[in-house]
Amino acid sequence: MNIVCLDLEGVLVPEIWIAFADASGIPELRRTTRDEPDYDKLMRYRLDILSRHGLGLNEIQATIAKVEPMDGAKEFLDELRSLSQVIIISDTFEQFAGPLMKKLGMPTIFCNSLEVAPDGAITGYKMRCQQSKLTTVKALQSIGYETIASGDSHNDLGMIRASKAGFLFKSTDAIKAENPDLAAYETYDELLAAIKRAL
């Protein structure tokens, strides 16, 4: 039995933090998991910037409301879900992902959660589990699934390499150069064809 595990941001929807960086005029917030492999370090950096600028969940959610899935993402996901079970495994947060899941047809997502004060200030975050993507793939394998995984960032490499088939999608030149053995695709048609071959 197969199950396909996909990253969310950069694969199906634009990077939320980049969208918010552009909306807020704070270029430092453009830093993502493509740039920083240490997720805790990245999130502490982000939360410090938000605190200094007096920004919180309400402002980020206002930006997310305007974010649309990438061109062709919903159609790709719809076709993929007709062929296999699919789980989106993301290091984003429930408070960010909800509106985007509606736009993608409510696929299953495993993600993290934010700690939010009554005034909307983001005070911290709670990871669902350590190394959430790799841990989830291994857990699925432990209950009888073979996994196929795809993502674009440093934090996707664990689940990609642990799966029976794994692919980079719309990744950076640096990550592709560091992982020359991984097939890398730029279009949904290419990725769908590769997943079909692996199913």
Side-chain angles (χ1 to χ4, degrees), residues 137-198:
V137 158
K138 286 187 171 180
L140 291 167
Q141 292 166 349
S142 77
I143 57 171
Y145 285 98
E146 290 191 282
T147 59
I148 299 165
S150 184
D152 68 324
S153 295
H154 289 287
N155 63 341
D156 299 310
L157 293 172
M159 74 170 180
I160 289 172
R161 292 198 172 279
S163 295
K164 76 165 185 177
F167 314 106
L168 291 171
F169 185 68
K170 295 184 182 290
S171 192
T172 65
D173 289 341
I175 292 173
K176 287 187 281 191
E178 290 162 11
N179 298 274
D181 58 313
L182 294 179
Y185 301 110
E186 297 297 322
T187 71
Y188 291 119
D189 286 346
E190 291 173 328
L191 181 57
L192 187 64
I195 292 172
K196 282 180 178 177
R197 288 193 294 271

Side-chain angles (χ1 to χ4, degrees), residues 100-120:
L100 297 169
M101 293 305 98
K102 289 178 183 173
K103 293 177 181 181
L104 286 169
M106 293 306 292
T108 299
I109 183 169
F110 294 171
C111 60
N112 306 310
S113 61
L114 293 168
E115 296 167 351
V116 184
D119 66 356

Side-chain angles (χ1 to χ4, degrees), residues 8-189:
L8 177 65
E9 294 180 63
V11 173
L12 298 171
V13 303
E15 294 279 353
I16 291 167
W17 287 99
I18 290 178
F20 186 62
D22 294 344
S24 64
I26 305 171
E28 294 87 352
L29 286 173
R30 292 182 65 85
R31 192 166 180 78
T32 72
T33 52
R34 289 177 166 205
D35 312 298
E36 175 54 68
D38 185 330
Y39 192 72
D40 183 61
K41 180 178 177 182
L42 178 62
M43 278 305 300
R44 284 187 279 112
Y45 168 82
R46 288 166 167 170
L47 296 185
D48 179 60
I49 292 172
L50 293 178
S51 177
R52 282 191 278 119
H53 288 270
L55 297 169
L57 182 60
N58 295 335
E59 291 82 6
I60 298 174
Q61 285 180 330
T63 295
I64 292 170
K66 301 172 188 170
V67 171
E68 295 296 326
M70 293 160 76
D71 287 346
K74 184 173 185 302
E75 294 78 7
F76 160 76
L77 197 55
D78 287 345
E79 184 165 354
L80 185 57
R81 290 167 76 190
S82 76
L83 302 171
S84 172
Q85 294 296 312
V86 179
I87 297 176
I88 297 172
I89 307 175
S90 174
D91 278 337
T92 194
F93 305 97
E94 295 168 343
Q95 295 92 335
F96 290 3
L100 297 169
M101 293 305 98
K102 289 178 183 173
K103 293 177 181 181
L104 286 169
M106 293 306 292
T108 299
I109 183 169
F110 294 171
C111 60
N112 306 310
S113 61
L114 293 168
E115 296 167 351
V116 184
D119 66 356
I122 301 171
T123 57
Y125 66 98
K126 183 172 173 45
M127 298 295 283
R128 187 171 48 80
C129 57
Q130 289 300 310
Q131 291 186 290
S132 61
K133 299 184 181 193
L134 175 58
T135 301
T136 301
V137 158
K138 286 187 171 180
L140 291 167
Q141 292 166 349
S142 77
I143 57 171
Y145 285 98
E146 290 191 282
T147 59
I148 299 165
S150 184
D152 68 324
S153 295
H154 289 287
N155 63 341
D156 299 310
L157 293 172
M159 74 170 180
I160 289 172
R161 292 198 172 279
S163 295
K164 76 165 185 177
F167 314 106
L168 291 171
F169 185 68
K170 295 184 182 290
S171 192
T172 65
D173 289 341
I175 292 173
K176 287 187 281 191
E178 290 162 11
N179 298 274
D181 58 313
L182 294 179
Y185 301 110
E186 297 297 322
T187 71
Y188 291 119
D189 286 346

